Amino acid sequence: MMQARIMRPYTEGFFRRAGIVSGMSVLDLGAGVGDVSILAGDIVGPGGRVVGLDRDAAGLERARQRTVEQGCSSWVSFQATNLDDFSTADQFDAVVGRYILLYQPDAAATLRRLISFLKPGGIVAFHEVDFSCPHPSYPPCEVFDEVVWLVAEVFRRVGVRPDFGRFLGKTFLDAGLPFPAIVAETLVGGERGSAFYSWVGAIVVSVAPRLADLGLALPAGVVADHSLAAKLEGAAVAQGSQIIGSTQFGAWARKALWS
Ligand SMILES: C[S@@+](CC[C@H](N)C(=O)[O-])C[C@H]1O[C@@H](n2cnc3c(N)ncnc32)[C@H](O)[C@@H]1O
């Protein structure tokens, strides 16, 4: 949810530029705890409809609670399913997702199947990322660069591309869509209080239990707990490091009117 708060303006910008407007029906792939579905729900409003899909039923329960808390539960709903098993007689105005295609063994095949639930001329809009930059800080802040490399390496070792954002064009083409409009925005920071430190710290804490299984270890002197964010901030701020964060890619296209 912290990541979703940081990402919301980027995702919203991509979706609005893709043409998602009030009254549309939207299918959100990999809804997680609901942030993108709720964002799409804010755009389409009560005259529209959003269905979020995810295989994690517990996450979707949290997502449902949040729609109740935020007053959009009558037009934002969720379905627990693997994306490759989803089927419906409905036809949507838009198929969207954030940080979902990178996790699919064959992203183009998954996308090709799911756009069969999209109306002719409907919108396909995805937000993906590239966090593979090997030296994100300058002047180099060793501990920051090491933990960012470690996180990217965890993804590589489980078969997930940390630079998937760069493959959006090809993924759309392989799914039978036109080459999409693509924009990229790179987050840059390093100042005291930057969200980078708590964000990267939280990611390291979340992957730490998997490190030994993957043949990886925390850098010397790094402890994966709530103190990590302050350690990263202290080290980077002390030397005035400017930090290149992840690059956020938005890509969108329309399904052909006829095939
Ligand atoms: C990184 S989270 C992104 C959540 C949300 N889109 C966001 O940006 O806040 C990825 C989500 O995709 C779901 N997911 C990944 N592959 C899936 C699949 N094949 N079928 C259903 N859900 C999937 C995971 O369970 C997880 O909740």
Side-chain angles (χ1 to χ4, degrees):
M1 284 162 59
M2 169 178 43
Q3 177 172 279
R5 264 197 307 280
I6 299 169
M7 283 307 125
R8 182 177 162 117
Y10 298 91
T11 311
E12 179 171 2
F14 300 150
F15 286 1
R16 290 193 186 278
R17 290 173 73 177
I20 297 172
V21 293
S22 175
M24 283 186 168
S25 57
V26 177
L27 186 62
D28 173 28
L29 312 185
V33 292
D35 294 277
V36 172
S37 299
I38 291 170
L39 162 60
D42 289 346
I43 298 174
V44 301
R49 186 166 78 91
V50 180
V51 178
L53 309 179
D54 205 290
R55 62 187 170 203
D56 178 2
L60 291 187
E61 208 35 61
R62 180 78 188 96
R64 284 191 192 96
Q65 283 168 12
R66 295 174 75 204
T67 62
V68 171
E69 288 157 16
Q70 298 186 33
C72 57
S73 60
S74 62
W75 72 94
V76 180
S77 64
F78 300 95
Q79 187 174 327
T81 176
N82 195 303
L83 295 180
D84 291 330
D85 299 332
F86 175 72
S87 187
T88 177
D90 293 348
Q91 291 272 288
F92 291 83
D93 295 309
V95 171
V96 306
R98 180 174 70 194
Y99 304 161
I100 178 63
L101 295 176
L102 78 166
Y103 294 112
Q104 307 316 308
D106 184 343
T110 297
L111 186 56
R112 181 186 286 272
R113 215 182 71 74
L114 285 155
I115 58 175
S116 66
F117 309 115
L118 184 64
K119 293 176 186 169
I123 296 166
V124 184
F126 283 87
H127 177 166
E128 296 287 346
V129 68
D130 177 357
F131 55 96
S132 64
C133 179
H135 303 291
S137 65
Y138 190 86
C141 175
E142 202 177 328
V143 65
F144 191 90
D145 287 5
E146 283 176 350
V147 297
V148 169
W149 177 86
L150 181 68
V151 170
E153 189 60 19
V154 166
F155 276 68
R156 283 187 205 99
R157 292 198 185 190
V158 297
V160 175
R161 298 199 70 117
D163 58 351
F164 184 86
R166 298 171 59 186
F167 294 80
L168 277 163
K170 174 146 176 57
T171 303
F172 273 54
L173 288 177
D174 289 350
L177 289 161
F179 193 87
I182 307 176
V183 294
E185 300 187 57
T186 300
L187 313 183
V188 181
E191 74 282 9
R192 188 171 293 288
S194 162
F196 280 152
Y197 307 119
S198 43
W199 188 11
V200 172
I203 294 171
V204 173
V205 169
S206 76
V207 300
R210 298 286 311 275
L211 292 179
D213 288 349
L214 296 169
L216 295 167
L218 291 166
V222 169
V223 179
D225 66 13
H226 64 278
S227 67
L228 180 54
K231 182 182 180 74
L232 295 174
E233 178 168 352
V237 169
Q239 54 189 54
S241 297
Q242 174 179 318
I243 292 168
I244 299 172
S246 49
T247 298
Q248 308 299 317
F249 285 83
W252 58 88
R254 284 186 183 265
K255 183 176 170 177
L257 284 171
W258 54 82
S259 52

